[in-house]
Amino acid sequence: MKHYFALFAALLLASCTKEGDTIYMPDPNEEQASTAPLVTVIYGDNSLGDRSYCDMIYEGVERTAQELGLRTMQLSPQSTEEGLQYLELMMRQMEAATDTVRRLFIVTSPVYDEYLRSNSRRLEANARADLLYLETDTPLPGKGSTLYLPYYGAMFEAGAMMPALGPRVMLIGANRREQAVVEAIQGFTDGFEAGMTSSTEKKEKFLATTFLDETGDGGYDVADTTAMRMIHQWIADDIYDLVPICGGAFNTFWRMNEIEMDGLFIMGIDKEYRTPRSRLSVVKHIDRAVDRCIRQWLSSEGMPKHQSLGLASGYTEVVRTYMDYPEQYMVEVHEQLTEEKLKEIHETALRKETK
């Protein structure tokens, strides 16, 4: 990633010098560097390519930039240490910058939380530099805005619906430390416990939870062999549905489950999945959320210090992918999950989210 680091440094610099004290003066006939606003996104280590949350951020930023004529740079460091180097370089350059280019730095991962909270005031020296920190409900102490997409309400709604669809469920969390993961698991659990059980189902409803990283802040990837072994065990335990709240590891479970002849149903997380082995998808429209924030940043009002966009505002939602199933297979489901019942569950989820 050294070339990324060099590129990052070059774009951040307001001016350059040659050897000694001679300042480099560009040829007036050379094409001038763009002064269009620059949006730089710094991800957690190896996050891009997850075909889920982080890729949605990437796509949302690029769409908005193309529409508004912005420049972008998206950095996926190979380690947390490298990501911290990017952030420190950014802070130093923004403290010293004298150009007129507007810059927005979007930080996507909680692994940088301590650094950001200790250093955000350093950006106050540059009126043209702004920071957006995603997925925290705690505002930054200095300069910078925060955005949180609460998952509790949408996950509660999905959990309350699930017993009518598949009453034996395994929740797979990335880790116990990340707020968004813990909140999502709690929401689904509360909804599942409140939901009804299929009247014709011989087995009582059952919900278990496992974490891919029990002690750290990882759990966002898993080896194919590990995922397949876990799936085989869950099938043996009569589990019907998987709810993987574990970032890029979701796709590994999805691929391995497709290979398994007696596979399980998997609930889509963050984006909509419409396949024969999906009953529900809980969607987090982070691409739309970053578009909103970039537009706010460019406006005369600027971004709010903190904003929370969840079920009530339409930035999270439950998509009933089971509606794609043939009607004859869904008679009992429709008898239980009537439009009236679904409305009741949704209204309950909205109340739960705002508490």
Side-chain angles (χ1 to χ4, degrees):
M1 296 291 290
K2 290 182 179 179
H3 59 291
Y4 281 118
F5 193 75
L7 176 61
F8 187 42
L11 286 175
L12 285 175
L13 286 170
S15 62
C16 301
T17 62
K18 288 187 175 182
E19 294 179 1
D21 297 326
T22 304
I23 298 177
Y24 172 69
M25 300 298 291
D27 184 336
N29 295 319
E30 291 180 356
E31 183 178 352
Q32 298 299 302
S34 173
T35 58
L38 173 63
V39 178
T40 299
V41 188
I42 303 175
Y43 296 90
D45 53 290
N46 296 305
S47 294
L48 278 181
D50 65 355
R51 292 182 289 174
S52 186
Y53 180 82
C54 290
D55 284 7
M56 291 169 69
I57 295 172
Y58 180 96
E59 292 162 5
V61 169
E62 293 301 321
R63 281 198 304 268
T64 304
Q66 183 175 16
E67 181 178 341
L68 301 180
L70 311 177
R71 293 178 294 154
T72 66
M73 182 162 53
Q74 309 227 27
L75 304 170
S76 184
Q78 293 181 347
S79 66
T80 300
E81 291 71 25
E82 189 173 60
L84 289 169
Q85 289 179 352
Y86 290 155
L87 287 171
E88 178 58 23
L89 177 62
M90 174 266 286
M91 288 291 181
R92 290 179 183 177
Q93 295 296 337
M94 291 305 97
E95 286 175 318
T98 58
D99 64 16
T100 59
V101 176
R102 294 193 62 185
R103 293 176 172 88
L104 174 63
F105 298 90
I106 301 177
V107 180
T108 71
S109 174
V111 299
Y112 307 123
D113 186 87
E114 182 178 354
Y115 179 90
L116 292 175
R117 297 190 184 282
S118 299
N119 290 274
S120 59
R121 294 190 187 279
R122 294 167 63 183
L123 284 178
E124 293 171 357
N126 189 333
R128 297 180 181 85
D130 290 281
L131 171 66
L132 173 63
Y133 178 27
L134 303 183
E135 296 294 35
T136 176
D137 64 358
T138 306
L140 291 169
K143 187 175 183 179
S145 298
T146 48
L147 171 70
Y148 191 53
L149 270 61
Y151 232 3
Y152 183 93
M155 293 298 291
F156 180 96
E157 184 172 349
M161 295 167 62
M162 186 58 77
L165 299 167
R168 293 181 62 81
V169 178
M170 177 63 70
L171 269 169
I172 311 167
N175 60 68
R176 299 177 184 271
R177 293 187 179 184
E178 185 168 340
Q179 179 183 3
V181 172
V182 173
E183 179 188 81
I185 288 174
Q186 189 61 58
F188 188 91
T189 301
D190 291 348
F192 189 85
E193 291 175 352
M196 66 185 76
T197 304
S198 172
S199 59
T200 61
E201 177 52 53
K202 302 296 183 182
K203 301 179 183 297
E204 296 181 358
K205 63 181 182 180
F206 170 83
L207 176 66
T209 303
T210 188
F211 291 91
L212 298 180
D213 185 349
E214 284 285 351
T215 58
D217 54 12
Y220 294 102
D221 53 56
V222 62
D224 289 2
T225 53
T226 302
M228 183 63 85
R229 175 178 53 79
M230 296 172 81
I231 289 170
H232 284 162
Q233 182 59 55
W234 293 328
I235 290 174
D237 292 340
D238 259 352
I239 299 296
Y240 302 158
D241 288 82
L242 303 182
V243 182
I245 309 170
C246 47
F250 171 93
N251 289 288
T252 304
F253 283 109
W254 190 279
R255 286 189 297 104
M256 294 301 101
N257 191 60
E258 290 294 302
I259 294 171
E260 176 59 52
M261 294 299 293
D262 297 320
L264 309 171
F265 286 85
I266 298 185
M267 193 172 84
I269 299 292
D270 291 340
K271 62 185 295 186
E272 184 176 325
Y273 287 83
R274 287 191 176 273
T275 76
R277 303 208 71 81
S278 174
R279 307 183 199 265
L280 298 172
S281 288
V282 183
V283 181
K284 182 175 283 193
H285 296 289
I286 189 63
D287 51 343
R288 285 171 32 195
V290 294
D291 172 87
R292 172 187 175 128
C293 290
I294 292 171
R295 293 174 188 275
Q296 290 172 335
W297 168 61
L298 293 171
S299 72
S300 57
E301 294 81 11
M303 289 184 295
K305 182 66 175 174
H306 177 75
Q307 50 191 326
S308 180
L309 304 171
L311 191 62
S313 55
Y315 283 85
T316 66
E317 67 171 320
V318 178
V319 178
R320 294 184 287 153
T321 48
Y322 69 80
M323 295 295 289
D324 296 339
Y325 297 173
E327 180 68 27
Q328 61 267 31
Y329 296 119
M330 300 302 295
V331 173
E332 185 188 356
V333 170
H334 290 303
E335 287 177 351
Q336 293 189 83
L337 296 179
T338 62
E339 290 303 316
E340 182 179 2
K341 182 63 178 178
L342 290 169
K343 181 180 179 181
E344 176 188 331
I345 291 172
H346 181 69
E347 291 175 350
T348 302
L350 288 173
R351 290 196 301 271
K352 294 279 189 179
E353 183 179 72
T354 55
K355 284 186 178 179

